[in-house]
Amino acid sequence: MIIDGKKTAAELREELKKKISQLKSTYNAVPGLTVILVGNDVPSKIYVKNKEKFAKEVGMNSEVIRYPVDLQENELLNKIKELNKNDQVSGILVQLPLPKHINKRKVIETIDYGKDVDGFHPMNVGNLSSGYDSSIPCTPLGCSLLLKKAEKNLSGKHAVVIGRSNLNGKPMTQLLLKENCTVTITHSKTKDLKTECLKADIIIAAVGVPKLVKGDWVKKGAIVIDVGINKTDAGIVGDVDFDEVSKVAKAITPVPGGVGPMTIACLLSNTVECFKKAHYK
Ligand code: NAP
C-alpha cells in the first residue's frame, strides 16, 4: 500500500473548509493565521506562499507579514506581542530559519502558547509530553494521521523513530507513546541502526540522509513513514530507499506526495483548534 499524502491532505482541507463554514455561522468569525517571514530564504518563501494559498482556500483569514533580513529582534518581538493581543489572529507562525542575529528561542517563547500553531512553545512541548491537550508540531501530526491510514490500532506495535529533532523525532515519539506503541528513538550515535530497524513494526525516518533506510533494514509487513526531503542530482528523495523498501513494507509513504502535503494541512487544522479553544473559553 502506498499511503497517499496528497489525497489525505486534500481530504483534511475539505473537512476543515466545512468546519470553518460552521464556525462562521456560530461565531460570525473565522480562524485567522498570521505568518511572519523574515529575510529572503527561497524555500521559506515557497512554504509561506503555500501556507497563504491553502489558508485562503479553506476560508481562513490569512495574513503574511514580510520583513527584511536586517530586522531588529525587538521589532519582531513587539509585533508578536501585538498579534498575541489581536482577537482576529488565532494562530501565529514565525517561519524558520531566522537570521542569525535573532534569537529563535526568544521568538518562540514570545508567541502566546494558545496561538502557537507550530507547537514549538515550551508549554505545548511540555503538555504534549505530559499527555495533556496541546498544539502538536505539524509534520509529526501529519505522520500520525498517515500511519492511521495504514493501521487503525497501533497499540503494542514496536515503532522505531530515526532522528531526535525537536521538530520531528521527539514529538513523533510522544505521539506514538500516546497510541501505546513501544518506541525506540535513534539518532546519529545509535550503534547498528539496521538491527534496530529490523525489529520495527513501524519506522518513522526523519533524518535528512537520502535513501538511508534500505530494503534489508525493514521487516516484512512493516509500515514505513518517510519524513525526509532531500535535494539530490536525481531530484527530491526521502530518507528511505523507496524502490527497495516498497517491496517489503506493508505500507509506505512516497517522497514527494507523502508526509510533505500533510504538514500544511495540519497547520491549518492547528489554527482551527486554536480558534475553537479561544472561543470556548
Ligand atoms: P535535523 O534537525 O537535522 O535532525 C536530524 C536527526 O537525524 C538528528 O537527530 C540526527 O542525529 C539524526 N541523524 C542524522 N544522521 C543520521 C544517521 N546517519 N543515522 C541516524 N540518525 C541520524 O532534521 P529535521 O529537521 O528533523 O528533518 C529531518 C528530515 O525531514 C530532513 O530531510 C528535512 O528536510 C525533512 N523535513 C520534512 C518535513 C515535511 O514536511 N515532510 C518537515 C520538516 C523536515 P543527532 O541528533 O545525533 O545529530
Side-chain angles (χ1 to χ4, degrees), residues 47 138-140 143 161-169 185-190 193 205-210 212 217 226-231 237-239 255 258-264:
Y47 293 142
C138 307
T139 303
C143 291
V161 179
I162 317 175
R164 56 175 162 180
S165 70
N166 292 337
L167 181 67
N168 290 309
I185 181 157
T186 66
H187 44 77
S188 68
K189 308 292 183 291
T190 297
L193 185 58
V207 199
V209 177
L212 176 75
W217 290 31
D226 189 353
V227 182
I229 301 178
N230 307 296
K231 251 190 189 167
V237 300
D239 294 336
V255 176
V259 175
M262 291 300 289
T263 299
I264 294 184

Side-chain angles (χ1 to χ4, degrees), residues 42-180:
V42 175
S44 293
K45 277 180 163 173
I46 298 169
Y47 293 142
V48 167
K49 214 172 153 196
N50 285 331
K51 285 169 187 172
E52 189 180 21
K53 175 183 153 209
F54 285 122
K56 283 187 178 153
E57 193 186 286
V58 296
M60 276 181 196
N61 286 332
S62 167
E63 178 192 26
V64 178
I65 302 173
R66 293 180 172 83
Y67 286 116
V69 71
D70 59 355
L71 172 78
Q72 290 304 300
E73 184 182 278
N74 249 348
E75 202 180 324
L76 176 57
L77 298 181
N78 287 337
K79 174 50 83 177
I80 294 170
K81 286 176 196 161
E82 185 190 310
L83 294 169
N84 284 343
K85 288 190 214 136
N86 184 342
D87 289 344
Q88 307 290 310
V89 176
S90 326
I92 303 167
L93 182 151
V94 179
Q95 184 66 42
L96 301 177
L98 284 165
K100 286 202 169 46
H101 67 279
I102 296 179
N103 183 329
K104 177 176 96 175
R105 184 170 168 188
K106 243 191 205 173
V107 169
I108 291 172
E109 290 180 8
T110 301
I111 298 172
D112 176 345
Y113 76 91
K115 297 190 178 192
D116 167 37
V117 279
D118 256 338
F120 295 162
H121 191 287
M123 272 298 283
N124 283 318
V125 176
N127 280 338
L128 178 63
S129 65
S130 302
Y132 303 146
D133 185 40
S134 70
S135 265
I136 299 168
C138 307
T139 303
L141 179 58
C143 291
S144 56
L145 296 176
L146 292 179
L147 255 182
K148 287 290 182 74
K149 289 273 161 188
E151 180 73 59
K152 290 237 164 358
N153 184 7
L154 304 177
S155 182
K157 302 278 182 207
H158 184 178
V160 171
V161 179
I162 317 175
R164 56 175 162 180
S165 70
N166 292 337
L167 181 67
N168 290 309
K170 283 184 196 149
M172 191 68 233
T173 301
Q174 300 300 343
L175 293 177
L176 291 162
L177 284 174
K178 245 184 170 174
E179 294 290 338
N180 297 317

Side-chain angles (χ1 to χ4, degrees), residues 207-276:
V207 199
V209 177
K211 300 188 180 185
L212 176 75
V213 179
K214 300 291 178 195
D216 62 354
W217 290 31
V218 177
K219 188 164 79 176
K220 198 167 167 37
I223 303 171
V224 180
I225 305 288
D226 189 353
V227 182
I229 301 178
N230 307 296
K231 251 190 189 167
T232 69
D233 294 341
I236 301 284
V237 300
D239 294 336
V240 174
D241 189 322
F242 183 87
D243 291 340
E244 289 188 11
V245 174
S246 57
K247 293 191 180 100
V248 273
K250 166 181 146 181
I252 182 168
T253 58
V255 176
V259 175
M262 291 300 289
T263 299
I264 294 184
C266 288
L267 168 70
L268 304 177
S269 172
N270 280 350
T271 308
V272 170
E273 289 309 308
C274 287
F275 173 93
K276 280 166 48 185

